[in-house]
């Protein structure tokens, strides 16, 4: 065997670059499948309660089955899908009670994240406040143009950046694991609720507190903002008789 390996190493015609390319390609395909499948779930292309085989899902994504299979395993660990023995893949549903629990976690994570951001040195918190302000401006622009989808995407990015940049990796990971579920609720309720004009104003209050280094104020503003969203969404689901998201 040693001799075989040595011959391969000295055989310049042996396609080592193909091995490297293949090694790099597989993770890329899996990541592509993961991103595509998560996007389809988040946007409702594969709605809650959808059930299908891995092959059917792969066909919908125009991808091969192997990377889709690995993506499904990853998404199952995040609570977005469930693999049913001999019955395919099920897109998990979220009840109003689930949403209440999700908001409890989001409120705790984001209020602490805002507090931590406000406690950073002045230059660092200013830089991060600027990034949040850019996303908030995108939200405002989207609302001015009646583009609720663009608003929803910018809003989602704002909240992800808030927790991702707070410096506490555990808070960021916990929040990230459930934000896709809250995004589904956001997308479903877009056309059912009033235009979310207050969201930009409430975000600005969070940003201002972070920029000024007011940790308690940042905490309270972030908490109030998410609590307001919860108190708007849950009665809305009840009013329209929506049992699953």
């Amino acid at each position: 065997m040693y001799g075989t390996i040595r011959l391969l190493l000295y055989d310049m015609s042996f396609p080592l670059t193909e091995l490297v390319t293949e090694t790099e390609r597989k993770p890329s395909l899996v990541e592509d499948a993961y991103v595509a499948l998560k996007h389809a779930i988040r946007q409702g292309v594969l709605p809650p309660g959808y059930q299908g085989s891995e092959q059917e899902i792969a066909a919908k994504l125009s991808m091969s089955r192997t990377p889709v299979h690995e993506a499904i395993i990853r998404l199952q660990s995040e609570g977005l899908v469930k693999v049913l023995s001999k019955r395919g893949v099920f897109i998990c549903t979220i009840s109003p009670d689930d949403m209440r629990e999700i908001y409890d976690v989001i409120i705790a994570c984001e209020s602490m994240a805002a507090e931590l951001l406000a406690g950073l040195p002045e230059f660092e918190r200013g830089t991060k406040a600027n990034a949040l302000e850019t996303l908030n401006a995108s939200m405002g622009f989207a609302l001015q143009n009646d583009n609720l989808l663009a608003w929803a995407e910018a809003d989602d990015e704002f909240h992800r950046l808030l927790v991702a940049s707070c410096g506490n990796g555990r808070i960021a990971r916990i929040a990230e694991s459930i934000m896709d579920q809250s995004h589904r609720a956001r997308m479903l309720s877009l056309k059912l609720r009033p235009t979310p004009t207050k969201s930009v104003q409430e975000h600005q209050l969070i940003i201002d507190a972070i920029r000024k280094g007011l940790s308690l104020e940042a905490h309270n503003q972030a908490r109030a903002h998410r609590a307001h969203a919860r108190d708007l969404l849950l009665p809305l689901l009840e009013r329209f008789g929506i049992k699953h998201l």
Side-chain angles (χ1 to χ4, degrees):
M1 182 174 179
Y2 173 76
T4 302
I5 294 173
R6 186 171 59 185
L7 284 172
L8 288 174
L9 288 173
Y10 280 98
D11 182 359
M12 300 304 291
S13 65
F14 187 76
L16 292 176
T17 54
E18 291 185 14
L19 289 178
V20 173
T21 302
E22 183 63 29
T23 301
E24 292 175 345
R25 186 183 297 127
K26 185 177 179 182
S28 176
L29 288 174
V30 173
E31 185 63 24
D32 288 348
Y34 169 79
V35 170
L37 183 51
K38 177 181 274 194
H39 181 77
I41 294 170
R42 279 165 49 89
Q43 302 303 115
V45 177
L46 295 178
Y50 170 87
Q51 185 173 332
S53 68
E54 288 185 356
Q55 191 61 49
E56 290 170 344
I57 293 173
K60 285 180 180 292
L61 298 177
S62 300
M63 292 183 160
S64 60
R65 182 176 176 179
T66 299
V68 169
H69 170 76
E70 295 188 36
I72 287 169
I73 292 173
R74 186 171 164 187
L75 289 169
Q76 181 171 233
S77 70
E78 297 176 11
L80 291 178
V81 306
K82 185 179 293 185
V83 178
L84 305 174
S85 179
K86 298 181 180 179
R87 288 184 292 163
V89 180
F90 177 76
I91 307 301
C92 295
T93 59
I94 305 171
S95 70
D97 285 340
D98 292 330
M99 280 308 307
R100 186 174 288 104
E101 291 183 0
I102 287 168
Y103 266 102
D104 286 344
V105 176
I106 288 176
I107 288 169
C109 287
E110 291 195 8
S111 58
M112 192 65 229
E115 179 180 334
L116 290 172
L117 279 169
L120 293 173
E122 183 176 358
F123 177 79
E124 188 175 355
R125 69 174 184 260
T127 300
K128 295 186 176 184
N130 289 342
L132 290 168
E133 207 153 41
T134 298
L135 291 172
N136 203 36
S138 296
M139 290 172 58
F141 182 77
L143 290 176
Q144 288 172 10
N145 290 276
D146 295 322
N147 190 338
L148 290 178
L149 288 177
W151 169 85
E153 289 301 324
D155 183 52
D156 183 55
E157 288 183 45
F158 179 94
H159 288 283
R160 288 179 186 275
L161 181 60
L162 181 69
V163 294
S165 59
C166 76
N168 186 315
R170 286 177 172 81
I171 288 178
R173 286 192 294 274
I174 291 169
E176 180 70 23
S177 69
I178 59 174
M179 278 189 170
D180 289 313
Q181 298 173 25
S182 68
H183 183 73
R184 285 164 59 183
R186 181 192 289 110
M187 297 303 294
L188 177 68
S189 63
L190 269 183
K191 296 182 180 180
L192 302 179
R193 62 183 182 181
T195 303
T197 51
K198 288 186 177 179
S199 62
V200 175
Q201 301 166 14
E202 292 174 1
H203 282 185
Q204 193 60 51
L205 291 173
I206 298 169
I207 295 167
D208 291 344
I210 290 171
R211 192 184 299 281
K212 294 174 183 176
L214 302 175
S215 296
L216 182 58
E217 177 71 9
H219 179 108
N220 290 340
Q221 291 294 348
R223 185 178 188 85
H225 170 59
R226 279 303 208 176
H228 176 253
R230 175 200 61 200
D231 296 343
L232 180 68
L233 175 66
L234 294 180
L236 198 65
L237 298 179
E238 184 176 352
R239 187 186 319 150
F240 285 92
I242 299 172
K243 302 297 183 183
H244 298 288
L245 300 173

